[in-house]
Amino acid sequence: MHGDPTEFAERVLDVVERIPPGRVMTYGDIAEFLGEGGPRQVGRVMALWGGGVPWWRVIRADGSFLPGHEQRALKHYRAEGTPLRDTRVDMRLARWTGEPAEAD
DNA sequence: AGCTTGACCGACC
DNA sequence: TGGTCGGCCAAGC
């Protein structure tokens, strides 16, 4: 097959749209969830077509905000009640692997 | 075909 | 907390 990058991109964007408010996924988590590509491929998709999805819910594994969009991201986190830890997202609490809502 | 770049990741110090 | 390093995989030149 051709391997249209847009098909992979659509899958990535679909997953991102399913991330519940107040939760986040890492680039690597998304790649692992899809079972294809890698963190860098997911990153490429977000860089090119991430403007139409909740991009602030996709962050690096260390919980740091997207460089260059820190203010905008922080605004969303505060509005969604995303667990924060100083200048980062508290991955221990906010990380979402794609499983159905856990009974917290 | 070789080298560089990128919204990455984990290990290590 | 932060910097470096090697590994990672696709795209561009």
Side-chain angles (χ1 to χ4, degrees), chain A residues 6-21 23-38 41-43 45-46 49-50 52-59 94-100:
Chain A
T6 48
E7 300 225 338
F8 174 68
E10 283 183 22
R11 277 191 282 267
V12 169
L13 297 175
D14 186 58
V15 171
V16 175
E17 289 189 2
R18 286 166 58 181
I19 303 175
R23 299 295 217 120
V24 298
M25 278 184 90
T26 71
Y27 298 90
D29 285 342
I30 294 174
E32 193 174 338
F33 179 79
L34 290 175
E36 59 181 326
Q41 280 54 255
V42 174
V45 172
M46 291 305 290
W49 305 290
V53 298
W55 51 265
W56 58 91
R57 295 178 192 152
V58 183
I59 59 180
R95 197 174 198 176
W96 188 67
T97 55
E99 298 172 11

Side-chain angles (χ1 to χ4, degrees), chain A residues 58-101:
Chain A
V58 183
I59 59 180
R60 295 165 78 152
D62 65 355
S64 56
F65 300 164
L66 176 62
H69 299 261
E70 302 168 335
Q71 288 296 325
R72 224 139 325 155
L74 181 59
K75 189 175 178 180
H76 284 291
Y77 296 144
R78 285 170 48 172
E80 296 182 1
T82 305
L84 300 178
R85 184 139 191 158
D86 198 14
T87 62
R88 284 167 220 229
V89 171
D90 189 335
M91 297 307 286
R92 188 182 53 170
L93 298 176
R95 197 174 198 176
W96 188 67
T97 55
E99 298 172 11

